């Protein structure tokens, strides 16, 4: 069994991360009835017996003593991390896993990446090495941060390039929270574009998530639960936004949205933690979904968002789940994959779903989904037998689709609007190590990426003939 | 004579476990002592405590499936896997053939060879090896190819019969066509014969013949195991002189693997029906054999929806065949295995018709007939046909076409290059398979 380490950077990253650990504990408590520290638990948690003298690490198979998360928490101001340490999750983290400073990055990518990046480089590398050493077989680093701020985007991407240097064989999956157009941080376009260049170059996969989509999903759910028709009552603990049953009882603002992202991470790793008839490991995700090294932005969509309390016709609900995964409302960024070009698509199913259901739905949906000519049957499927808490089955779809192009183009427009006027540029340029060329390089990297997607899009309408085959001399 | 099975990857381990289950539950100790003794000797060995352990080596790069297979076997109570007959690592091959073949294979070569050697030592006489794997993933395909190569190197005079499961055409793994092409091209040089099951076909058998509503991979694997069991369980062959044959794999090779360019074997079994219907059905050899023959020449792998219009072309007509023209399936050689009641009275004349074979082999050499009076796996009468024919030509061609289209755009190639496979290696594999396709197309 492999282990993964979660690295959460910045306010957003830590808040999402916090929800993730809460939900992970809830999921394992649901499944692990005997209190034994099993392989599934060990993928995200260490078992520590504080009474033992040598540091207390316990191996798989024994009883659970103290679970410690395999995580590194980084933030340049103390508020968020301190709140975590005072909350019910304090037992799960070791002070050695934390890195904080006092004054924050002032929403400035350069401060996060260059100033703090250099100052704390050794300390960060040490903490990462420590976390890696605790792992038997480290497979993946999950990096969670926002793109619009200063610490998350700046220091987060610095950590990403450190991970590539120090652990080149370990997969790096980044969950990046992209700012919406109405973001209240004025410099968020700068921070996002500067961070994008790092993500394109150093990450193995990026799961972009947009705040606006999360808000829409949360609203949809609360509409469902308030406008409930008789017989359509929602099971409260089964909504994808619910943290009920977890460790933290009260739900604060943003918690509902962060729960969605936390669920995304749980579902992605479910097949490598639990049994199933068709396993899908994390390294298989990068292998199958990334046809060209830079095009590694995978649009996530989660279904179902909620379960109705009454028992419905199972098969129809199952098929509905598959259809929903491709609809606009369930994507975690604002995009319409059905009308853009699919390069590859992965379906991770959890729960009591068999291969015939999967086949049937793929056959049904395939005609309406445009796939690139050289990957007409580009589906990667995984079946995990353990469903998430509160549901009988669930589906996570990851699509490598050109529908990210409009998102990136919009980002580039917002960037250029500010950059043309050189607004706020001085805040960045007076940071040691930051130059005008950093901006122009980031912009051209983003433009090149958009070009690559555009190129593929152009093949969409054209009928590409089969490539001429090798002919054998007889 | 004993057979050592090597189960590789998730598919290989799951199919292998079902296969041993079929073998064990088929051989009823009470009625047919010789049959069950031969079957037991072939696939199992007895421990000092009297338990039956499968002659198998389980290999996977991650532990979950092996653990599951071993516990399923132990649960049956009738057999189990050897405690130390398995090898696993912590992390899988990531669906990457290059990772399996270039990295995991060589890294664990010694450990795997040791396990195989121990299993071979338990055998009085080794009939051959059967590596079981899929071609779509990373471990089964990549590590499987490497292990087959090791078997060839260490046991050059033993038979190696690879069993491959081909994935659904509409995809289980996006890079499955690359993995398949690389595997098949290499195995063609290493293996004595390649026995293929296609998930699509088996799925249809499950839904249309066995009437299973929600088909799971266990159902699919059980059908594969049933068909494989039909091939591998003891039989009386023309050369075995009235006793059960002691060289099952060798005789299979001499029956079917007549030419190094033609190694692809397909299997079909008749009848296949839901177990609840078996008690209510009657079987007659003429009906079974007539259906089976038509299944062969019209290239349909199951009794439903057979195209009765297809017939062998008249001998006088100029026989030029291309892939698209006509759906007649020419055979190079056939092995017909009959099991159950009244086998000796079954008339297999339909399979000796020279029109269904190529012209190089006279039909009495192209057809081999094995029989066993013991009913197999609850069917009073059953027939299994292992065929070296054009049956796999179309699926192979589709696979190569899709892989080639993807290769033309160089998609995913960087994932393979980083583990040590170059574009040249891809081109070599494509060339070998085009050669195979060409050879089979020209069969007339």
């Amino acid at each position: 069994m492999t282990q993964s380490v979660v690295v959460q950077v910045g306010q957003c990253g830590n808040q999402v991360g916090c929800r993730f650990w809460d939900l992970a504990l809830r999921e394992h408590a649901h499944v692990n009835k005997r209190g034994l520290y099993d392989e599934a638990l060990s993928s995200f948690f260490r078992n520590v017996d504080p009474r033992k003298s040598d540091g207390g690490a316990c191996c798989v198979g024994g009883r659970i003593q103290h679970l410690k998360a395999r995580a590194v928490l980084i933030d340049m101001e103390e508020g968020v991390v301190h709140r975590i340490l005072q909350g019910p999750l304090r037992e799960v983290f070791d002070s050695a896993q934390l890195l904080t400073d006092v004054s924050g990055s002032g929403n400035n990518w350069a401060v996060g990446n260059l100033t703090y990046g250099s100052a704390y480089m050794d300390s960060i590398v040490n903490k990462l090495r420590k976390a890696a050493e605790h792992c038997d077989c480290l497979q993946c680093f999950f990096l969670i941060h926002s793109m619009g701020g200063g610490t998350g985007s700046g220091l987060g991407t610095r950590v990403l390039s450190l991970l590539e240097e120090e652990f080149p064989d370990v997969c790096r999956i980044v969950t990046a929270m992209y700012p919406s157009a109405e973001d209240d941080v004025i410099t968020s376009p700068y921070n996002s574009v500067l961070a994008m260049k790092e993500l394109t170059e150093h990450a193995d996969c990026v799961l972009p998530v947009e705040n606006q989509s999360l808000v829409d999903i949360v609203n949809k759910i609360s509409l469902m639960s308030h406008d409930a028709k008789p017989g359509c009552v929602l099971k409260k603990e089964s909504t994808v936004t619910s943290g009920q049953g977890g460790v933290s009882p009260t739900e604060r603002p943003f918690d509902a949205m962060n729960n969605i992202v936390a669920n995304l991470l749980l579902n992605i790793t479910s097949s490598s933690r639990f049994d199933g008839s068709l396993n899908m490991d994390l390294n298989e995700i990068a292998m199958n979904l990334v046809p060209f090294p830079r095009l590694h932005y995978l649009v996530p969509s989660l279904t179902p968002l909620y379960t109705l309390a009454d028992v419905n016709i199972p098969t129809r609900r199952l098929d509905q789940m598959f259809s929903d995964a491709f609809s606009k409302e369930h994507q975690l960024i604002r995009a319409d994959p059905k009308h853009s070009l699919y390069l590859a698509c992965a379906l991770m199913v959890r729960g009591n779903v068999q291969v015939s259901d999967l086949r049937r739905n793929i056959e049904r949906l395939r005609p309406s989904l445009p796939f690139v000519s050289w990957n007409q049957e580009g589906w990667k499927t995984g079946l995990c037998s353990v469903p998430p808490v509160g549901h009988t089955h669930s589906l996570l779809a990851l699509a490598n689709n050109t529908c990210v192009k409009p998102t990136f183009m919009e980002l580039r427009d917002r960037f250029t609007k500010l950059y043309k006027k050189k607004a706020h540029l001085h805040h960045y340029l007076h940071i040691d190590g930051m130059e005008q060329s950093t901006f122009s390089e980031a912009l051209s990297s983003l433009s090149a990426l958009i070009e690559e997607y555009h190129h593929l899009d152009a093949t969409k309408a054209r009928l590409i003939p089969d490539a001429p085959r090798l002919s054998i001399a007889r | 004579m004993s057979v050592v099975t090597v189960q590789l990857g998730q598919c290989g381990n799951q199919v292998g476990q079902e296969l041993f289950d079929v073998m064990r539950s088929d051989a009823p100790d009470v009625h047919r002592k010789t049959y069950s003794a031969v079957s037991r000797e072939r696939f199992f060995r007895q421990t000092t405590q009297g338990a039956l352990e499968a002659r198998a080596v389980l290999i996977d790069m991650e532990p979950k499936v092996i653990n599951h297979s071993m516990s399923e076997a132990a649960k049956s109570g009738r057999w189990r896997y050897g405690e130390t007959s398995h090898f696993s690592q912590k992390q899988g091959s990531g669906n990457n053939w290059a990772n399996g073949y270039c990295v995991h294979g060589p890294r664990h070569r010694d450990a795997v060879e040791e396990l195989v050697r121990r299993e071979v030592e338990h055998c009085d006489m080794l009939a051959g090896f059967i590596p079981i794997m899929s071609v779509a993933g990373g471990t089964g395909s990549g590590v499987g190819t490497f292990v087959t190569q090791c078997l060839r190197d260490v046991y050059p005079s033993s038979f190696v019969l690879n069993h491959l499961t081909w994935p659904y055409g509409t995809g289980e793994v996006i890079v499955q066509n690359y993995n398949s092409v690389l595997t098949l091209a290499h195995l063609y040089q290493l293996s004595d014969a390649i026995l293929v099951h296609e998930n699509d076909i088996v799925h249809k058998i499950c839904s249309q013949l066995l009437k299973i509503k929600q088909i799971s991979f266990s159902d699919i694997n059980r059908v594969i195991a049933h068909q494989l069991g039909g091939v591998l369980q003891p039989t009386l062959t023309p050369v075995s002189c009235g006793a059960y044959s002691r060289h099952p794999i060798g005789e299979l090779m001499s029956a079917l693997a007549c030419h190094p360019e033609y190694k692809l074997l397909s299997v079909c079994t008749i009848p296949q029906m839901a177990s609840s219907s078996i008690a209510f059905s009657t079987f007659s050899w003429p009906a079974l054999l007539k259906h089976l023959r038509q299944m062969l020449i019209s290239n349909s792998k199951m009794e439903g929806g057979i195209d009765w219009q297809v017939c062998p072309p008249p001998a006088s007509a100029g026989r030029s065949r291309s892939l698209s023209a006509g759906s007649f399936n020419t055979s190079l050689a056939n092995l017909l295995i009959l099991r159950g009641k009244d086998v000796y009275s079954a008339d297999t004349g339909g399979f000796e018709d020279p029109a269904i074979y190529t012209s190089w082999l006279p039909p009495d050499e192209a057809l081999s007939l094995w029989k066993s009076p013991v009913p197999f796996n609850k069917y009073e009468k059953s027939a299994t046909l292992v065929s070296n024919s054009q049956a796999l030509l179309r699926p192979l061609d589709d696979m190569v076409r899709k892989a080639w289209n993807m290769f033309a755009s160089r998609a995913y190639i960087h994932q393979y290059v980083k583990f040590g496979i170059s574009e040249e290696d891809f081109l070599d594999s494509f060339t070998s398979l085009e050669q195979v396709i060409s050879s089979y197309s020209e069969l007339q």
Side-chain angles (χ1 to χ4, degrees):
Chain A
M1 189 70 66
T2 53
Q3 288 83 36
S4 309
V5 172
V6 175
V7 183
Q8 27 193 96
V9 187
Q11 171 174 25
C12 175
N14 278 293
Q15 284 179 181
V16 172
C18 191
R19 296 314 307 151
F20 169 74
W21 292 112
D22 195 298
L23 290 183
L25 284 170
R26 177 175 79 151
E27 185 170 88
H28 282 281
H30 195 77
V31 175
N32 186 342
K33 298 288 184 209
R34 289 186 296 166
L36 287 177
Y37 177 61
D38 59 6
E39 294 276 7
L41 256 182
S42 87
S43 66
F44 278 117
F45 295 94
R46 301 184 281 135
N47 192 15
V48 169
D49 186 351
R51 291 166 299 180
K52 283 214 218 153
S53 53
D54 60 346
C58 307
C59 40
V60 173
R63 289 205 68 78
I64 297 177
Q65 306 282 354
H66 269 107
L67 289 177
K68 294 282 180 202
R70 297 187 192 278
V72 177
L73 289 71
I74 302 176
D75 199 356
M76 291 298 105
E77 50 156 12
E78 304 175 307
V80 181
V81 174
H82 274 205
R83 218 186 348 256
I84 297 179
L85 288 184
Q86 273 148 14
L89 283 178
R90 63 180 168 277
E91 300 290 322
V92 170
F93 300 110
D94 212 302
S95 57
Q97 299 167 260
L98 313 170
L99 181 68
T100 56
D101 198 316
V102 186
S103 35
S105 305
N107 286 330
N108 187 329
W109 182 90
V111 172
N113 190 293
L114 299 165
T115 318
Y116 285 124
S118 317
Y120 285 105
M121 186 153 79
D122 291 334
S123 175
I124 293 177
V125 172
N126 277 338
K127 290 183 196 298
L128 291 172
R129 283 235 189 86
K130 218 30 196 320
E133 271 164 31
H134 284 305
C135 297
D136 229 340
C137 177
L138 178 60
Q139 182 174 53
C140 182
F141 279 108
F142 283 103
L143 194 53
I144 315 179
H145 61 78
S146 69
M147 299 288 277
T151 306
S153 79
L155 189 52
T157 47
R158 188 61 188 273
V159 170
L160 180 63
S161 49
L162 277 177
L163 287 175
E164 190 180 29
E165 253 178 65
E166 299 287 324
F167 309 93
D169 295 328
V170 180
C171 195
R172 294 169 293 284
I173 300 188
V174 181
T175 311
M177 259 62 73
Y178 280 72
S180 325
E182 311 80 29
D183 198 64
D184 52 358
V185 175
I186 300 191
T187 49
S188 64
Y190 282 161
N191 296 331
S192 306
V193 174
L194 289 165
M196 276 282 295
K197 171 164 174 290
E198 305 296 310
L199 289 184
T200 306
E201 286 175 20
H202 302 297
D204 286 316
C205 286
V206 178
L207 307 171
V209 176
E210 252 183 271
N211 265 349
Q212 191 55 47
S213 305
L214 297 179
V215 168
D216 289 340
I217 291 178
V218 170
N219 285 339
K220 186 159 168 223
I221 296 180
S222 45
L223 212 64
M224 227 1 249
S225 53
H226 290 134
D227 274 0
K229 305 199 228 355
C232 275
V233 181
L234 275 187
K235 271 162 68 171
K236 273 295 196 296
E237 67 280 6
S238 69
T239 63
V240 76
T241 55
S242 152
Q244 273 197 336
V247 185
S248 321
T250 54
E251 302 214 356
R252 288 173 292 114
F254 280 113
D255 267 354
M257 290 162 61
N258 293 339
N259 275 338
I260 301 178
V261 186
N263 270 310
L264 165 65
L265 285 174
L266 276 180
N267 283 345
I268 258 195
T269 52
S270 60
S271 191
S272 35
R273 287 178 291 139
F274 300 116
D275 258 338
S277 57
L278 191 55
N279 294 333
M280 176 139 94
D281 235 343
L282 291 165
N283 50 4
E284 294 175 20
I285 294 181
M287 173 66 187
N288 283 286
L289 293 175
V290 182
F292 301 103
R294 287 156 56 89
L295 304 185
H296 54 238
Y297 293 85
L298 311 176
V299 179
S301 77
L302 274 178
T303 58
L305 299 176
Y306 49 78
T307 325
L308 298 178
D310 59 343
V311 179
N312 251 323
I313 313 159
T315 321
R316 229 194 103 223
R317 202 152 44 132
L318 193 60
D319 285 5
Q320 185 58 40
M321 182 175 81
F322 279 91
S323 307
D324 281 342
F326 293 96
S327 82
K328 248 193 340 199
E329 289 87 41
H330 290 248
Q331 309 299 321
L332 297 189
I333 66 167
R334 290 220 285 186
D336 192 6
K338 271 188 153 161
H339 294 109
S340 312
L341 193 61
Y342 275 90
L343 301 180
C345 186
L347 295 175
M348 304 187 66
V349 189
R350 297 181 68 173
N352 185 16
V353 181
Q354 300 303 345
V355 67
S356 53
D357 300 314
L358 198 53
R359 302 263 107 227
R360 185 180 67 242
N361 280 292
I362 291 183
E363 286 301 312
R364 186 172 62 88
L365 294 167
R366 203 158 52 103
S368 59
L369 300 171
F371 268 82
V372 74
S373 65
W374 41 259
N375 202 2
Q376 284 291 314
E377 279 104 8
W379 296 92
K380 166 72 184 153
T381 54
L383 292 168
C384 173
S385 31
V386 176
V389 177
H391 296 267
T392 47
H393 36 70
S394 79
L395 171 64
L396 166 68
L398 289 175
N400 191 340
N401 188 308
T402 56
C403 66
V404 289
K405 192 180 72 172
T407 313
F408 294 158
M409 283 171 61
E410 224 186 79
L411 191 61
R412 184 178 56 178
D413 288 340
R414 280 186 266 146
F415 176 93
T416 352
K417 247 207 308 232
L418 288 178
Y419 191 57
K420 266 208 297 241
K421 303 282 205 298
K422 304 216 188 309
H424 301 279
L425 220 48
H426 57 286
H427 291 298
Y428 292 80
L429 294 176
H430 85 213
I431 301 291
D432 224 355
M434 191 70 181
E435 292 172 14
Q436 189 93 15
S437 60
T438 323
F439 277 89
S440 47
E441 274 166 23
L443 184 59
S444 53
S445 156
L446 183 57
S447 294
L449 186 66
I450 294 177
E451 233 349 89
E452 280 186 53
Y453 277 112
H454 187 75
H455 222 51
L456 287 164
D457 248 345
T459 65
K460 185 168 163 212
R462 286 191 277 140
L463 198 62
I464 311 281
D466 280 343
R469 299 270 288 275
L470 294 175
S471 51
I472 307 291
R474 284 308 284 162
Chain B
M1 278 274 244
S2 312
V3 169
V4 171
T5 315
V6 185
Q7 309 179 175
L8 296 140
Q10 173 165 28
C11 174
N13 280 294
Q14 288 177 182
V15 169
Q17 184 254 317
E18 294 287 354
L19 179 61
F20 282 108
D21 218 42
V22 162
M23 314 274 220
R24 187 70 194 99
S25 59
D26 170 52
D29 291 333
V30 182
H31 301 294
R32 300 290 186 146
K33 293 230 164 66
T34 332
Y35 179 86
S36 39
V38 174
S39 164
R40 264 208 318 270
E41 171 67 22
R42 198 176 277 188
F43 299 108
F44 299 92
R45 50 186 162 78
Q46 216 149 11
T47 61
T48 44
Q49 292 90 10
L52 274 185
E53 284 187 353
R55 296 187 192 272
V57 176
L58 295 77
I59 302 176
D60 200 357
M61 289 301 111
E62 55 115 4
K64 292 198 296 282
V65 182
I66 289 189
N67 290 341
H68 186 81
S69 296
M70 291 184 70
S71 67
E72 282 300 303
K75 259 196 252 172
S76 75
R78 292 170 303 199
W79 67 281
R80 56 169 209 237
Y81 283 110
E83 283 300 307
T84 50
S85 306
H86 61 98
F87 176 81
S88 62
Q89 289 293 283
K90 309 276 175 131
Q91 188 174 189
S93 305
N95 288 166
N96 191 325
W97 188 92
N99 194 1
Y101 186 80
C102 307
V103 176
H104 284 130
R107 195 183 283 170
H108 307 301
R109 177 190 198 132
D110 292 335
V112 170
E113 281 184 2
E114 175 61 25
L115 280 180
V116 173
R117 192 187 57 79
R118 264 197 267 148
E119 204 55 61
V120 172
E121 271 173 17
H122 282 301
C123 301
D124 268 340
M125 264 216 284
L126 182 64
F129 294 100
I130 305 186
I132 307 183
M133 57 218 232
S134 72
V135 288
T139 301
S141 69
V143 177
T145 307
F146 188 81
V147 168
T148 306
Q149 195 166 304
C150 295
L151 290 176
R152 253 295 158 256
D153 290 337
V154 180
Y155 305 93
S157 51
S158 297
F159 290 107
V160 176
L161 170 67
N162 282 79
H163 175 263
L164 300 182
T165 305
W166 286 10
Y168 288 98
T170 51
E172 293 166 24
V173 170
I174 294 179
V175 290
Q176 63 188 40
N177 297 310
Y178 279 164
N179 293 337
S180 310
V181 164
L182 290 164
T183 308
L184 282 170
H186 280 78
L187 283 184
Y188 229 79
Q189 307 306 319
L190 301 167
S191 191
D192 290 309
I194 303 175
L195 192 55
V196 175
H197 271 105
E198 301 163 72
N199 269 350
D200 277 309
I201 306 279
V202 180
H203 188 102
K204 271 203 253 168
I205 293 180
C206 287
S207 70
Q208 292 179 19
L209 296 182
L210 303 182
K211 309 276 193 248
I212 303 177
K213 290 265 181 323
Q214 250 203 332
I215 302 172
S216 66
F217 271 115
S218 319
D219 298 315
I220 302 230
N221 294 339
R222 242 171 256 137
V223 172
I224 296 181
H226 171 84
Q227 296 201 340
L228 265 185
V231 179
L232 298 172
Q233 284 288 58
T235 52
L236 299 140
T237 67
V239 300
S240 69
C241 307
Y244 288 111
S245 162
R246 313 217 344 115
H247 307 266
I249 303 196
E251 291 192 38
L252 187 136
M253 296 302 175
S254 65
L256 294 170
C258 19
H259 189 295
E261 260 180 44
Y262 300 89
K263 289 186 180 170
L264 293 177
L265 308 178
S266 57
V267 195
C268 53
T269 311
I270 196 173
Q272 294 241 228
M273 53 176 55
S275 42
S276 48
S277 322
I278 301 182
F280 304 104
S281 317
T282 49
F283 307 107
S284 76
W285 284 119
L288 288 177
L289 291 175
K290 185 157 152 215
H291 276 76
L292 193 57
R293 179 179 181 271
Q294 195 60 24
M295 278 159 68
L296 168 66
I297 63 181
S298 65
N299 194 16
S300 84
K301 299 281 190 330
M302 50 177 217
E303 300 140 68
I306 303 179
D307 185 356
W308 290 94
Q309 302 291 349
V310 177
C311 52
S316 52
R319 300 228 266 172
S320 67
R321 198 118 334 117
S322 68
L323 256 183
S324 47
S327 45
F328 179 74
N329 180 31
T330 309
S331 303
L332 184 47
N334 281 312
L335 168 59
L336 184 56
I337 307 176
L338 304 178
R339 296 179 185 276
K341 233 167 95 166
D342 305 328
V343 270
Y344 299 105
S345 58
D347 173 19
T348 55
F351 288 91
E352 288 159 26
D353 180 0
I356 65 178
Y357 294 101
T358 71
S359 48
W360 336 322
L361 285 176
D364 51 349
E365 291 185 31
L367 174 69
S368 307
L369 198 49
W370 294 0
K371 296 188 180 166
S372 156
V374 180
F376 172 62
N377 212 12
K378 304 193 195 61
Y379 287 97
E380 180 196 75
K381 300 185 174 82
S382 65
T384 305
L385 181 66
V386 187
S387 181
N388 188 343
S389 68
Q390 295 175 312
L392 292 166
L393 182 50
R394 175 117 275 151
L396 178 63
D397 186 64
D398 280 342
M399 182 190 280
V400 174
R401 177 178 53 85
K402 290 186 209 162
W404 185 247
N405 277 337
M406 202 182 264
F407 185 69
S409 64
R410 296 296 186 276
Y412 299 102
I413 298 297
H414 68 286
Q415 309 267 17
Y416 289 85
V417 168
K418 80 173 179 222
F419 286 108
I421 298 292
S422 66
E423 288 190 16
E424 276 303 304
D425 296 314
F426 269 95
L427 282 172
D428 288 340
S429 300
F430 277 112
T431 317
S432 321
L433 289 188
E434 292 287 1
Q435 182 74 54
V436 173
I437 292 175
S438 170
S439 305
Y440 271 102
S441 311
E442 310 266 315
L443 217 52
Q444 53 187 11

